[in-house]
Amino acid sequence: MMAENTKHVSYADAGVDTAEGARAVDAIKAAVAATNRPEVIGGLGGFGSCFSAAALKDMEEPILVSGTDGVGTKLAIAQLLDRHETVGEDLVAMCVDDIVPMGAEPLFFLDYVAIGKLRAEHVAKIVGGIAEGCRKSGCALVGGEMAEHPGVMAADDYDLAGFVVGVVDRPKLLGPELVRVGDVILGIPSSGIHSNGYSLVRKVAIEGRSVEELETPLPELGGESLADAVMRPTRIYAGQLLAALRAGAPVHAMAHITGGGITENLDRAMPEGVDALVYRGGEDGPAWDVPPVISYMVRAAGLTTEEAYRTFNMGVGMSVICAPEDVERARELLAEQGLETFVMGECVAGEAGAKGKVVYDDER
C-alpha cells in the first residue's frame, strides 16, 4: 500500500528529461537521413528498423556478416577536451573494418549512446560523427538508442557501442582458407593510434596535463599537439576496399589491425601451417612509416618492441594478402581508390597442423 502524503516525483525529477530526448531525436534526423540507402524502409521513430533484403536474391549464396564494438577509453579524452564530433567515426570504423576482411559490404548500422545527462546539441555532435562514418563506409544508419543514466553516470560522461550487419556472396568470401605460402602481405597506413591502446595513452601522456598543455604543439609530433594527435579519428577502409574488390582486386584475405596490434590480428588471416613474416628489422626500422604519435607513446611508456607490436597498430591499419603474381594489379586497384600500400611481409611455412602466427624478421 502506498504511504499517505507521498511526495510526487516525476521522471524529470529523477533525472530523465524525455522532452530533451525528443529534441535530440529531431536534432539528428537530417544526419541520419543522409546515410540512407535505397533498401532502407521508413525512417526514425519505429520500434524496429526495416531494411529490404530483396537484392540478396541475386546472390548465389548470401552470407550475413555482423560485428559490434565500442570506442573505449578514448572517450575519456574526448570528454576532457570537449571534442565530440569525431568519436562517432571511431565507432563506425571499429565495426565496419572488422567485417570487410571477409569481403562483406556493410549494409546497416545501429548505435547505442549511454549518457549521464542528455543534451540535444551534445548528442547531435556525437551522432553526427556516427552518420559521417556510415556515409564514408556506405552503410545506412537505420536506428539506435539514447539512454540517459542519471545516478549511474556523471552528467558529462557517455559511452558508445555500435552494431553493423553486412553481406557477402559465398563465392566471394575472403579468408585464411585462400592464403598460401608465398603470398605477399601488403599494409595500408593507419591515421594514427585509431581507437586501441588508450588506457595506456591516458596513463603516460594525458593524466596530469592540463588542456592547455595538451593543445600545445610539440616538435616530437611534427608540430602537432597531443590533443590533435590522439583525437584523430580512426581511418575507415571499408568503402574503398570494397570498391577495389568490385573492380577485381585479386585479394585472398585481409586483417584489420585493431586491439592487440599486428601480432594479435594478422595471425587471424593465417591458416594452419602458414605464418605471417613481417619485415620490421633493419637499421631503419620497419618497412613503413610509424606515425610520430605512436612512437611518442612507445617511448613515453618505455615499451619493448614486442609490447609495442601487441599494443598499437604501429602505422598499419589494414593488411591485404594476395598471391605474388597479383601484387602489382592489387596495388594498382587499391591505389585507384586512394589506398596507398607497402609490402610489409610474406606468408611462410609454419608448424604443420598448428594455427598460423605472426613472426618478425628481426627475431629469426
Side-chain angles (χ1 to χ4, degrees), residues 86-119:
T86 59
V87 290
E89 289 188 48
D90 289 308
L91 179 65
V92 175
M94 298 303 287
C95 294
V96 299
D97 286 342
D98 266 356
I99 69 168
V100 77
M102 279 74 77
E105 175 190 1
L107 297 175
F108 59 85
F109 190 91
L110 292 100
D111 64 70
Y112 178 84
V113 182
I115 195 163
K117 180 63 177 177
L118 196 154
R119 292 179 285 114

PDB file of all heavy atoms in Angstrom, residues 86-119:
ATOM      1  N   THR A  86      34.103  13.610 -33.696  1.00  0.00           N
ATOM      2  CA  THR A  86      34.678  12.522 -34.487  1.00  0.00           C
ATOM      3  C   THR A  86      34.653  11.153 -33.808  1.00  0.00           C
ATOM      4  O   THR A  86      34.987  10.153 -34.443  1.00  0.00           O
ATOM      5  CB  THR A  86      36.141  12.837 -34.859  1.00  0.00           C
ATOM      6  OG1 THR A  86      36.909  13.018 -33.666  1.00  0.00           O
ATOM      7  CG2 THR A  86      36.222  14.084 -35.720  1.00  0.00           C
ATOM      8  N   VAL A  87      34.271  11.077 -32.537  1.00  0.00           N
ATOM      9  CA  VAL A  87      34.265   9.764 -31.874  1.00  0.00           C
ATOM     10  C   VAL A  87      33.236   8.827 -32.506  1.00  0.00           C
ATOM     11  O   VAL A  87      33.383   7.596 -32.437  1.00  0.00           O
ATOM     12  CB  VAL A  87      34.025   9.898 -30.357  1.00  0.00           C
ATOM     13  CG1 VAL A  87      35.229  10.518 -29.678  1.00  0.00           C
ATOM     14  CG2 VAL A  87      32.751  10.686 -30.050  1.00  0.00           C
ATOM     15  N   GLY A  88      32.215   9.387 -33.136  1.00  0.00           N
ATOM     16  CA  GLY A  88      31.254   8.549 -33.851  1.00  0.00           C
ATOM     17  C   GLY A  88      31.893   7.853 -35.045  1.00  0.00           C
ATOM     18  O   GLY A  88      31.566   6.702 -35.370  1.00  0.00           O
ATOM     19  N   GLU A  89      32.819   8.553 -35.712  1.00  0.00           N
ATOM     20  CA  GLU A  89      33.552   7.919 -36.807  1.00  0.00           C
ATOM     21  C   GLU A  89      34.387   6.760 -36.281  1.00  0.00           C
ATOM     22  O   GLU A  89      34.491   5.705 -36.927  1.00  0.00           O
ATOM     23  CB  GLU A  89      34.462   8.934 -37.507  1.00  0.00           C
ATOM     24  CG  GLU A  89      33.729   9.975 -38.341  1.00  0.00           C
ATOM     25  CD  GLU A  89      34.691  10.815 -39.155  1.00  0.00           C
ATOM     26  OE1 GLU A  89      35.583  10.225 -39.817  1.00  0.00           O
ATOM     27  OE2 GLU A  89      34.571  12.047 -39.119  1.00  0.00           O
ATOM     28  N   ASP A  90      34.993   6.953 -35.107  1.00  0.00           N
ATOM     29  CA  ASP A  90      35.746   5.865 -34.482  1.00  0.00           C
ATOM     30  C   ASP A  90      34.850   4.640 -34.286  1.00  0.00           C
ATOM     31  O   ASP A  90      35.252   3.505 -34.552  1.00  0.00           O
ATOM     32  CB  ASP A  90      36.278   6.309 -33.116  1.00  0.00           C
ATOM     33  CG  ASP A  90      37.400   7.332 -33.209  1.00  0.00           C
ATOM     34  OD1 ASP A  90      38.377   7.085 -33.922  1.00  0.00           O
ATOM     35  OD2 ASP A  90      37.286   8.389 -32.563  1.00  0.00           O
ATOM     36  N   LEU A  91      33.651   4.885 -33.790  1.00  0.00           N
ATOM     37  CA  LEU A  91      32.717   3.792 -33.518  1.00  0.00           C
ATOM     38  C   LEU A  91      32.402   3.001 -34.782  1.00  0.00           C
ATOM     39  O   LEU A  91      32.474   1.765 -34.793  1.00  0.00           O
ATOM     40  CB  LEU A  91      31.428   4.349 -32.911  1.00  0.00           C
ATOM     41  CG  LEU A  91      30.346   3.314 -32.601  1.00  0.00           C
ATOM     42  CD1 LEU A  91      30.805   2.349 -31.528  1.00  0.00           C
ATOM     43  CD2 LEU A  91      29.047   4.003 -32.192  1.00  0.00           C
ATOM     44  N   VAL A  92      32.066   3.694 -35.840  1.00  0.00           N
ATOM     45  CA  VAL A  92      31.724   3.016 -37.096  1.00  0.00           C
ATOM     46  C   VAL A  92      32.936   2.275 -37.653  1.00  0.00           C
ATOM     47  O   VAL A  92      32.837   1.119 -38.088  1.00  0.00           O
ATOM     48  CB  VAL A  92      31.186   4.028 -38.129  1.00  0.00           C
ATOM     49  CG1 VAL A  92      30.938   3.339 -39.470  1.00  0.00           C
ATOM     50  CG2 VAL A  92      29.901   4.672 -37.618  1.00  0.00           C
ATOM     51  N   ALA A  93      34.097   2.929 -37.618  1.00  0.00           N
ATOM     52  CA  ALA A  93      35.309   2.312 -38.156  1.00  0.00           C
ATOM     53  C   ALA A  93      35.608   0.990 -37.466  1.00  0.00           C
ATOM     54  O   ALA A  93      35.955  -0.008 -38.124  1.00  0.00           O
ATOM     55  CB  ALA A  93      36.491   3.262 -38.003  1.00  0.00           C
ATOM     56  N   MET A  94      35.490   0.959 -36.155  1.00  0.00           N
ATOM     57  CA  MET A  94      35.822  -0.252 -35.414  1.00  0.00           C
ATOM     58  C   MET A  94      34.906  -1.411 -35.777  1.00  0.00           C
ATOM     59  O   MET A  94      35.284  -2.578 -35.642  1.00  0.00           O
ATOM     60  CB  MET A  94      35.752   0.028 -33.902  1.00  0.00           C
ATOM     61  CG  MET A  94      36.742   1.080 -33.430  1.00  0.00           C
ATOM     62  SD  MET A  94      38.458   0.696 -33.825  1.00  0.00           S
ATOM     63  CE  MET A  94      38.751  -0.619 -32.658  1.00  0.00           C
ATOM     64  N   CYS A  95      33.703  -1.108 -36.228  1.00  0.00           N
ATOM     65  CA  CYS A  95      32.752  -2.158 -36.601  1.00  0.00           C
ATOM     66  C   CYS A  95      32.870  -2.556 -38.073  1.00  0.00           C
ATOM     67  O   CYS A  95      33.032  -3.735 -38.399  1.00  0.00           O
ATOM     68  CB  CYS A  95      31.326  -1.698 -36.305  1.00  0.00           C
ATOM     69  SG  CYS A  95      30.964  -1.461 -34.552  1.00  0.00           S
ATOM     70  N   VAL A  96      32.795  -1.581 -38.973  1.00  0.00           N
ATOM     71  CA  VAL A  96      32.781  -1.924 -40.404  1.00  0.00           C
ATOM     72  C   VAL A  96      34.112  -2.484 -40.866  1.00  0.00           C
ATOM     73  O   VAL A  96      34.160  -3.359 -41.747  1.00  0.00           O
ATOM     74  CB  VAL A  96      32.365  -0.716 -41.278  1.00  0.00           C
ATOM     75  CG1 VAL A  96      30.959  -0.254 -40.923  1.00  0.00           C
ATOM     76  CG2 VAL A  96      33.365   0.439 -41.163  1.00  0.00           C
ATOM     77  N   ASP A  97      35.214  -2.008 -40.283  1.00  0.00           N
ATOM     78  CA  ASP A  97      36.526  -2.524 -40.699  1.00  0.00           C
ATOM     79  C   ASP A  97      36.814  -3.892 -40.106  1.00  0.00           C
ATOM     80  O   ASP A  97      37.813  -4.520 -40.458  1.00  0.00           O
ATOM     81  CB  ASP A  97      37.620  -1.527 -40.347  1.00  0.00           C
ATOM     82  CG  ASP A  97      37.623  -0.318 -41.282  1.00  0.00           C
ATOM     83  OD1 ASP A  97      37.022  -0.419 -42.371  1.00  0.00           O
ATOM     84  OD2 ASP A  97      38.211   0.720 -40.929  1.00  0.00           O
ATOM     85  N   ASP A  98      35.947  -4.363 -39.212  1.00  0.00           N
ATOM     86  CA  ASP A  98      36.052  -5.741 -38.722  1.00  0.00           C
ATOM     87  C   ASP A  98      35.345  -6.734 -39.647  1.00  0.00           C
ATOM     88  O   ASP A  98      35.652  -7.922 -39.616  1.00  0.00           O
ATOM     89  CB  ASP A  98      35.447  -5.854 -37.322  1.00  0.00           C
ATOM     90  CG  ASP A  98      36.485  -5.686 -36.218  1.00  0.00           C
ATOM     91  OD1 ASP A  98      37.686  -5.555 -36.526  1.00  0.00           O
ATOM     92  OD2 ASP A  98      36.090  -5.696 -35.040  1.00  0.00           O
ATOM     93  N   ILE A  99      34.389  -6.277 -40.444  1.00  0.00           N
ATOM     94  CA  ILE A  99      33.673  -7.232 -41.304  1.00  0.00           C
ATOM     95  C   ILE A  99      34.168  -7.201 -42.751  1.00  0.00           C
ATOM     96  O   ILE A  99      33.982  -8.179 -43.486  1.00  0.00           O
ATOM     97  CB  ILE A  99      32.146  -7.021 -41.260  1.00  0.00           C
ATOM     98  CG1 ILE A  99      31.710  -5.725 -41.935  1.00  0.00           C
ATOM     99  CG2 ILE A  99      31.633  -7.080 -39.822  1.00  0.00           C
ATOM    100  CD1 ILE A  99      30.210  -5.635 -42.161  1.00  0.00           C
ATOM    101  N   VAL A 100      34.815  -6.120 -43.174  1.00  0.00           N
ATOM    102  CA  VAL A 100      35.283  -6.047 -44.556  1.00  0.00           C
ATOM    103  C   VAL A 100      36.385  -7.059 -44.865  1.00  0.00           C
ATOM    104  O   VAL A 100      36.516  -7.471 -46.022  1.00  0.00           O
ATOM    105  CB  VAL A 100      35.709  -4.610 -44.921  1.00  0.00           C
ATOM    106  CG1 VAL A 100      37.077  -4.263 -44.337  1.00  0.00           C
ATOM    107  CG2 VAL A 100      35.708  -4.402 -46.429  1.00  0.00           C
ATOM    108  N   PRO A 101      37.197  -7.535 -43.886  1.00  0.00           N
ATOM    109  CA  PRO A 101      38.192  -8.550 -44.228  1.00  0.00           C
ATOM    110  C   PRO A 101      37.595  -9.839 -44.798  1.00  0.00           C
ATOM    111  O   PRO A 101      38.294 -10.610 -45.456  1.00  0.00           O
ATOM    112  CB  PRO A 101      38.896  -8.820 -42.893  1.00  0.00           C
ATOM    113  CG  PRO A 101      38.821  -7.510 -42.189  1.00  0.00           C
ATOM    114  CD  PRO A 101      37.448  -7.017 -42.523  1.00  0.00           C
ATOM    115  N   MET A 102      36.329 -10.099 -44.550  1.00  0.00           N
ATOM    116  CA  MET A 102      35.676 -11.252 -45.163  1.00  0.00           C
ATOM    117  C   MET A 102      35.138 -10.938 -46.559  1.00  0.00           C
ATOM    118  O   MET A 102      34.539 -11.793 -47.211  1.00  0.00           O
ATOM    119  CB  MET A 102      34.522 -11.745 -44.272  1.00  0.00           C
ATOM    120  CG  MET A 102      35.001 -12.614 -43.124  1.00  0.00           C
ATOM    121  SD  MET A 102      35.812 -11.673 -41.818  1.00  0.00           S
ATOM    122  CE  MET A 102      34.428 -10.954 -40.972  1.00  0.00           C
ATOM    123  N   GLY A 103      35.318  -9.684 -46.976  1.00  0.00           N
ATOM    124  CA  GLY A 103      34.759  -9.252 -48.253  1.00  0.00           C
ATOM    125  C   GLY A 103      33.332  -8.773 -48.134  1.00  0.00           C
ATOM    126  O   GLY A 103      32.641  -8.580 -49.130  1.00  0.00           O
ATOM    127  N   ALA A 104      32.877  -8.543 -46.893  1.00  0.00           N
ATOM    128  CA  ALA A 104      31.483  -8.175 -46.653  1.00  0.00           C
ATOM    129  C   ALA A 104      31.240  -6.686 -46.846  1.00  0.00           C
ATOM    130  O   ALA A 104      32.036  -5.852 -46.413  1.00  0.00           O
ATOM    131  CB  ALA A 104      31.068  -8.581 -45.240  1.00  0.00           C
ATOM    132  N   GLU A 105      30.128  -6.369 -47.473  1.00  0.00           N
ATOM    133  CA  GLU A 105      29.687  -4.985 -47.641  1.00  0.00           C
ATOM    134  C   GLU A 105      28.815  -4.593 -46.455  1.00  0.00           C
ATOM    135  O   GLU A 105      27.788  -5.234 -46.193  1.00  0.00           O
ATOM    136  CB  GLU A 105      28.870  -4.838 -48.920  1.00  0.00           C
ATOM    137  CG  GLU A 105      28.269  -3.452 -49.103  1.00  0.00           C
ATOM    138  CD  GLU A 105      27.266  -3.367 -50.239  1.00  0.00           C
ATOM    139  OE1 GLU A 105      27.013  -4.400 -50.889  1.00  0.00           O
ATOM    140  OE2 GLU A 105      26.741  -2.252 -50.477  1.00  0.00           O
ATOM    141  N   PRO A 106      29.171  -3.556 -45.703  1.00  0.00           N
ATOM    142  CA  PRO A 106      28.312  -3.097 -44.607  1.00  0.00           C
ATOM    143  C   PRO A 106      26.979  -2.582 -45.153  1.00  0.00           C
ATOM    144  O   PRO A 106      26.964  -1.748 -46.060  1.00  0.00           O
ATOM    145  CB  PRO A 106      29.116  -1.961 -43.968  1.00  0.00           C
ATOM    146  CG  PRO A 106      30.522  -2.146 -44.447  1.00  0.00           C
ATOM    147  CD  PRO A 106      30.406  -2.745 -45.807  1.00  0.00           C
ATOM    148  N   LEU A 107      25.888  -3.088 -44.623  1.00  0.00           N
ATOM    149  CA  LEU A 107      24.559  -2.691 -45.086  1.00  0.00           C
ATOM    150  C   LEU A 107      23.925  -1.652 -44.168  1.00  0.00           C
ATOM    151  O   LEU A 107      23.488  -0.609 -44.625  1.00  0.00           O
ATOM    152  CB  LEU A 107      23.649  -3.920 -45.177  1.00  0.00           C
ATOM    153  CG  LEU A 107      24.059  -5.005 -46.164  1.00  0.00           C
ATOM    154  CD1 LEU A 107      23.117  -6.208 -46.049  1.00  0.00           C
ATOM    155  CD2 LEU A 107      24.067  -4.469 -47.579  1.00  0.00           C
ATOM    156  N   PHE A 108      23.841  -1.969 -42.899  1.00  0.00           N
ATOM    157  CA  PHE A 108      23.223  -1.020 -41.970  1.00  0.00           C
ATOM    158  C   PHE A 108      23.890  -1.080 -40.610  1.00  0.00           C
ATOM    159  O   PHE A 108      24.517  -2.069 -40.243  1.00  0.00           O
ATOM    160  CB  PHE A 108      21.722  -1.222 -41.860  1.00  0.00           C
ATOM    161  CG  PHE A 108      21.284  -2.595 -41.395  1.00  0.00           C
ATOM    162  CD1 PHE A 108      21.202  -2.904 -40.047  1.00  0.00           C
ATOM    163  CD2 PHE A 108      20.932  -3.558 -42.321  1.00  0.00           C
ATOM    164  CE1 PHE A 108      20.787  -4.154 -39.617  1.00  0.00           C
ATOM    165  CE2 PHE A 108      20.503  -4.813 -41.906  1.00  0.00           C
ATOM    166  CZ  PHE A 108      20.436  -5.116 -40.551  1.00  0.00           C
ATOM    167  N   PHE A 109      23.716   0.015 -39.877  1.00  0.00           N
ATOM    168  CA  PHE A 109      24.409   0.236 -38.598  1.00  0.00           C
ATOM    169  C   PHE A 109      23.411   0.738 -37.573  1.00  0.00           C
ATOM    170  O   PHE A 109      22.519   1.515 -37.890  1.00  0.00           O
ATOM    171  CB  PHE A 109      25.527   1.269 -38.810  1.00  0.00           C
ATOM    172  CG  PHE A 109      26.471   1.421 -37.650  1.00  0.00           C
ATOM    173  CD1 PHE A 109      27.614   0.652 -37.572  1.00  0.00           C
ATOM    174  CD2 PHE A 109      26.230   2.351 -36.643  1.00  0.00           C
ATOM    175  CE1 PHE A 109      28.504   0.793 -36.511  1.00  0.00           C
ATOM    176  CE2 PHE A 109      27.106   2.498 -35.580  1.00  0.00           C
ATOM    177  CZ  PHE A 109      28.252   1.716 -35.516  1.00  0.00           C
ATOM    178  N   LEU A 110      23.572   0.274 -36.337  1.00  0.00           N
ATOM    179  CA  LEU A 110      22.804   0.807 -35.212  1.00  0.00           C
ATOM    180  C   LEU A 110      23.766   1.210 -34.106  1.00  0.00           C
ATOM    181  O   LEU A 110      24.804   0.564 -33.913  1.00  0.00           O
ATOM    182  CB  LEU A 110      21.809  -0.228 -34.669  1.00  0.00           C
ATOM    183  CG  LEU A 110      20.656  -0.588 -35.612  1.00  0.00           C
ATOM    184  CD1 LEU A 110      20.947  -1.898 -36.325  1.00  0.00           C
ATOM    185  CD2 LEU A 110      19.349  -0.689 -34.843  1.00  0.00           C
ATOM    186  N   ASP A 111      23.429   2.258 -33.387  1.00  0.00           N
ATOM    187  CA  ASP A 111      24.295   2.730 -32.311  1.00  0.00           C
ATOM    188  C   ASP A 111      23.562   2.736 -30.983  1.00  0.00           C
ATOM    189  O   ASP A 111      22.334   2.714 -30.924  1.00  0.00           O
ATOM    190  CB  ASP A 111      24.816   4.145 -32.617  1.00  0.00           C
ATOM    191  CG  ASP A 111      23.689   5.168 -32.682  1.00  0.00           C
ATOM    192  OD1 ASP A 111      23.105   5.487 -31.627  1.00  0.00           O
ATOM    193  OD2 ASP A 111      23.384   5.658 -33.785  1.00  0.00           O
ATOM    194  N   TYR A 112      24.342   2.749 -29.915  1.00  0.00           N
ATOM    195  CA  TYR A 112      23.796   2.870 -28.561  1.00  0.00           C
ATOM    196  C   TYR A 112      24.616   3.922 -27.829  1.00  0.00           C
ATOM    197  O   TYR A 112      25.842   3.786 -27.722  1.00  0.00           O
ATOM    198  CB  TYR A 112      23.867   1.534 -27.820  1.00  0.00           C
ATOM    199  CG  TYR A 112      23.358   1.601 -26.392  1.00  0.00           C
ATOM    200  CD1 TYR A 112      21.994   1.493 -26.121  1.00  0.00           C
ATOM    201  CD2 TYR A 112      24.231   1.787 -25.327  1.00  0.00           C
ATOM    202  CE1 TYR A 112      21.518   1.559 -24.818  1.00  0.00           C
ATOM    203  CE2 TYR A 112      23.767   1.859 -24.026  1.00  0.00           C
ATOM    204  CZ  TYR A 112      22.411   1.748 -23.781  1.00  0.00           C
ATOM    205  OH  TYR A 112      21.941   1.822 -22.486  1.00  0.00           O
ATOM    206  N   VAL A 113      23.943   4.968 -27.378  1.00  0.00           N
ATOM    207  CA  VAL A 113      24.590   6.057 -26.655  1.00  0.00           C
ATOM    208  C   VAL A 113      24.050   6.069 -25.233  1.00  0.00           C
ATOM    209  O   VAL A 113      22.857   6.309 -25.017  1.00  0.00           O
ATOM    210  CB  VAL A 113      24.321   7.430 -27.319  1.00  0.00           C
ATOM    211  CG1 VAL A 113      25.055   8.532 -26.560  1.00  0.00           C
ATOM    212  CG2 VAL A 113      24.716   7.414 -28.788  1.00  0.00           C
ATOM    213  N   ALA A 114      24.910   5.784 -24.269  1.00  0.00           N
ATOM    214  CA  ALA A 114      24.548   5.889 -22.854  1.00  0.00           C
ATOM    215  C   ALA A 114      25.205   7.150 -22.315  1.00  0.00           C
ATOM    216  O   ALA A 114      26.410   7.355 -22.488  1.00  0.00           O
ATOM    217  CB  ALA A 114      25.039   4.671 -22.082  1.00  0.00           C
ATOM    218  N   ILE A 115      24.420   7.997 -21.661  1.00  0.00           N
ATOM    219  CA  ILE A 115      24.929   9.314 -21.265  1.00  0.00           C
ATOM    220  C   ILE A 115      24.357   9.704 -19.910  1.00  0.00           C
ATOM    221  O   ILE A 115      23.229   9.332 -19.551  1.00  0.00           O
ATOM    222  CB  ILE A 115      24.572  10.356 -22.352  1.00  0.00           C
ATOM    223  CG1 ILE A 115      25.374  11.624 -22.180  1.00  0.00           C
ATOM    224  CG2 ILE A 115      23.069  10.631 -22.408  1.00  0.00           C
ATOM    225  CD1 ILE A 115      25.370  12.510 -23.420  1.00  0.00           C
ATOM    226  N   GLY A 116      25.146  10.437 -19.133  1.00  0.00           N
ATOM    227  CA  GLY A 116      24.688  10.839 -17.809  1.00  0.00           C
ATOM    228  C   GLY A 116      23.557  11.836 -17.871  1.00  0.00           C
ATOM    229  O   GLY A 116      22.520  11.662 -17.222  1.00  0.00           O
ATOM    230  N   LYS A 117      23.737  12.892 -18.646  1.00  0.00           N
ATOM    231  CA  LYS A 117      22.714  13.923 -18.805  1.00  0.00           C
ATOM    232  C   LYS A 117      22.569  14.231 -20.280  1.00  0.00           C
ATOM    233  O   LYS A 117      23.516  14.684 -20.926  1.00  0.00           O
ATOM    234  CB  LYS A 117      23.093  15.195 -18.024  1.00  0.00           C
ATOM    235  CG  LYS A 117      22.078  16.329 -18.126  1.00  0.00           C
ATOM    236  CD  LYS A 117      20.738  15.919 -17.507  1.00  0.00           C
ATOM    237  CE  LYS A 117      19.734  17.069 -17.539  1.00  0.00           C
ATOM    238  NZ  LYS A 117      18.428  16.657 -17.004  1.00  0.00           N
ATOM    239  N   LEU A 118      21.408  14.010 -20.805  1.00  0.00           N
ATOM    240  CA  LEU A 118      21.179  14.175 -22.239  1.00  0.00           C
ATOM    241  C   LEU A 118      20.969  15.645 -22.581  1.00  0.00           C
ATOM    242  O   LEU A 118      20.104  16.319 -22.003  1.00  0.00           O
ATOM    243  CB  LEU A 118      19.953  13.360 -22.658  1.00  0.00           C
ATOM    244  CG  LEU A 118      19.764  13.089 -24.145  1.00  0.00           C
ATOM    245  CD1 LEU A 118      18.963  11.812 -24.330  1.00  0.00           C
ATOM    246  CD2 LEU A 118      19.036  14.238 -24.828  1.00  0.00           C
ATOM    247  N   ARG A 119      21.808  16.138 -23.494  1.00  0.00           N
ATOM    248  CA  ARG A 119      21.644  17.472 -24.058  1.00  0.00           C
ATOM    249  C   ARG A 119      21.610  17.325 -25.569  1.00  0.00           C
ATOM    250  O   ARG A 119      22.519  16.739 -26.170  1.00  0.00           O
ATOM    251  CB  ARG A 119      22.782  18.402 -23.629  1.00  0.00           C
ATOM    252  CG  ARG A 119      22.774  18.745 -22.158  1.00  0.00           C
ATOM    253  CD  ARG A 119      23.937  19.644 -21.750  1.00  0.00           C
ATOM    254  NE  ARG A 119      25.198  18.919 -21.683  1.00  0.00           N
ATOM    255  CZ  ARG A 119      26.222  19.119 -22.477  1.00  0.00           C
ATOM    256  NH1 ARG A 119      26.137  20.043 -23.452  1.00  0.00           N
ATOM    257  NH2 ARG A 119      27.343  18.435 -22.347  1.00  0.00           N
TER     258      ARG A 119
END
